[in-house]
Amino acid sequence: MLRNGSHNLLIFPTPTNCTDNRLGEGSSSEASDSEAENKHFLFVFNSIASLCRNAAAGVAVCANTKTLFDMNAIKRIILLTALAIAVLLLSSCSTARHSGKAKRPSNEQITAALDSICAEGYRLFLAETVNWVSTDSALAHYEADRLGGNIIWQPEPDAWEAVFFNRQQDSALFVLRYDPLLSEYSTWHTPRPVSAEEKAQWEWKTRLFTNGLGKYGDSIRYNSNYGNPNVDIIRIDSSTTRMYILQGVERPNVIPFGNDYSIDFDNAGKAIRFRRYHRGFLPIPTVDENGEKVVTIYHSHVNDNPYITPTDICNFLLYRGEIKQTFVLSTALDGYIIYSAEAGSAVFLTREAMEKIR
């Protein structure tokens, strides 16, 4: 089945500031470590140059005044200039040390981080799968113009449910329930009144869209040549709800990496944190130019994103076809993270360990 990259725009509230390739007009301003370093060294250079110019001017003034304090004044100027240069250079060296490669976490810390990311990535995959399957099923029973929105939530810890409303949001037209433990779907398409809990979930979702995209929509990008953004909301813990925005893909044989974001909310629905997981968009084909199936795929992460991400795992599981593993080259960890779809887990290998395997 072809992945429908536009299903969320059909059933989710659409922000008024949508454009063709973004959810807002502005752009996020994030400088890299190297850019910050360059700016600092440029500041140091300009500061030293300014001090030297001032010292030279002071010497010239003293030479012209011909007072008894000429030499003392010159010495003071030269001493202060040398001291200022030393302070600036020490600051520069400190910045260079802090902006260098950080110490790699312990194996236990890396394993714990990967286990947590894999668990969240799989939950995101389940939410997106339920969104996908329920949308296709609802459209098999109803025309699109009869549907007025939906919710996807977990009424129980081990169950997912999708409810599609009519235009007035007072009637549930279609319900899909998924049990991950049994891998079973159940559906109902006889209209019934919306329950109080379902109404509360709809209002909660609408609040998150309004607050989250109203605050961070200008920073979200997507590539309309591949598909529209997909949105999923999952509960992280007792105090945090996370909205994921993923690049949808309407083309076959492509795994999308990048154009992926998340917004965190507190229990009042206030947007409290925004994250961009990748700095660009990388659509990786699952077949080569000769039509042969790709065995494995990889992409790289820079220093500000050392681990595989939940969005990497979700999109890999959704679009991988028969590919069993994906690799992430981590420059921050100086090694490789290998995610296995069959095991549902990830391991870390240093660059040296990987070279020995090769």
Side-chain angles (χ1 to χ4, degrees):
M1 182 182 294
L2 179 63
R3 179 77 173 134
N4 181 358
S6 60
H7 65 273
N8 277 304
L9 291 190
L10 167 67
I11 56 181
F12 279 82
T14 303
T16 56
N17 60 341
C18 276
T19 65
D20 181 45
N21 291 314
R22 64 197 71 187
L23 296 185
E25 290 295 339
S27 62
S28 59
S29 55
E30 297 185 15
S32 66
D33 290 341
S34 60
E35 288 172 341
E37 237 179 279
N38 290 337
K39 289 179 180 178
H40 180 80
F41 280 111
L42 183 61
F43 167 76
V44 172
F45 177 82
N46 289 335
S47 299
I48 292 173
S50 177
L51 286 167
C52 290
R53 285 194 300 269
N54 291 338
V59 171
V61 169
C62 291
N64 290 331
T65 56
K66 298 187 182 299
T67 68
L68 295 175
F69 304 100
D70 285 358
M71 293 307 299
N72 289 334
I74 292 172
K75 289 178 180 178
R76 283 198 298 271
I77 292 172
I78 293 175
L79 179 61
L80 290 173
T81 301
L83 180 62
I85 291 173
V87 171
L88 286 169
L89 287 175
L90 285 173
S91 172
S92 174
C93 292
S94 175
T95 300
R97 285 196 300 270
H98 286 296
S99 62
K101 185 177 293 183
K103 181 181 178 182
R104 179 191 295 155
S106 68
N107 290 336
E108 292 76 14
Q109 290 173 317
I110 293 176
T111 298
L114 291 177
D115 288 347
S116 176
I117 292 169
C118 288
E120 185 173 337
Y122 187 70
R123 287 190 65 210
L124 179 58
F125 162 71
L126 289 178
E128 184 66 345
T129 300
V130 170
N131 210 344
W132 174 16
V133 174
S134 63
T135 300
D136 289 347
S137 299
L139 291 175
H141 291 89
Y142 294 96
E143 295 294 329
D145 58 5
R146 289 193 61 186
L147 302 176
N150 78 333
I151 56 171
I152 295 176
W153 64 305
Q154 289 187 267
E156 301 165 12
D158 295 324
W160 291 82
E161 192 168 279
V163 182
F164 288 75
F165 306 113
N166 62 353
R167 288 289 180 180
Q168 293 73 37
Q169 284 90 42
D170 58 6
S171 180
L173 302 181
F174 180 83
V175 178
L176 179 144
R177 190 177 180 91
Y178 177 61
D179 185 336
L181 299 178
L182 301 176
S183 297
E184 291 182 353
Y185 291 95
S186 303
T187 60
W188 297 266
H189 52 85
T190 301
R192 61 164 175 77
V194 175
S195 70
E197 195 169 17
E198 291 167 344
K199 182 178 180 180
Q201 287 293 323
W202 170 254
E203 292 173 349
W204 172 247
K205 173 185 163 181
T206 302
R207 184 186 309 168
L208 300 189
F209 265 78
T210 301
N211 294 345
L213 297 185
K215 186 174 182 179
Y216 296 114
D218 287 346
S219 299
I220 296 173
R221 301 287 183 271
Y222 66 96
N223 190 319
S224 60
N225 292 323
Y226 282 84
N228 292 317
N230 296 325
V231 181
D232 298 283
I233 300 172
I234 61 175
R235 188 75 170 173
I236 299 300
D237 52 40
S238 60
S239 61
T240 307
T241 298
R242 183 163 294 160
M243 173 190 289
Y244 278 100
I245 302 99
L246 308 176
Q247 172 73 53
V249 172
E250 297 173 349
R251 303 183 186 186
N253 304 322
V254 171
I255 302 177
F257 292 104
N259 282 357
D260 45 354
Y261 312 85
S262 67
I263 304 172
D264 286 357
F265 302 86
D266 62 16
N267 286 336
K270 180 182 178 181
I272 56 175
R273 181 173 183 255
F274 173 80
R275 181 178 178 185
R276 179 177 66 178
Y277 291 88
H278 297 81
R279 292 184 178 275
F281 176 53
L282 180 65
I284 298 181
T286 57
V287 295
D288 63 21
E289 60 274 9
N290 298 320
E292 298 293 331
K293 294 180 179 178
V294 173
V295 176
T296 190
I297 59 173
Y298 79 94
H299 67 285
S300 61
H301 284 182
V302 294
N303 289 346
D304 62 352
N305 190 14
Y307 296 101
I308 193 170
T309 67
T311 56
D312 287 336
I313 293 170
C314 174
N315 281 338
F316 176 68
L317 293 174
L318 287 171
Y319 301 98
R320 68 186 178 94
E322 298 178 11
I323 301 175
K324 297 180 179 180
Q325 292 181 326
T326 183
F327 291 68
V328 173
L329 169 60
S330 172
T331 57
L333 300 178
D334 195 26
Y336 294 82
I337 296 169
I338 308 170
Y339 177 80
S340 167
E342 293 180 346
S345 61
V347 296
F348 171 73
L349 291 179
T350 64
R351 191 186 296 270
E352 294 80 10
M354 180 65 77
E355 291 298 328
K356 291 179 181 179
I357 294 175
R358 289 178 177 178

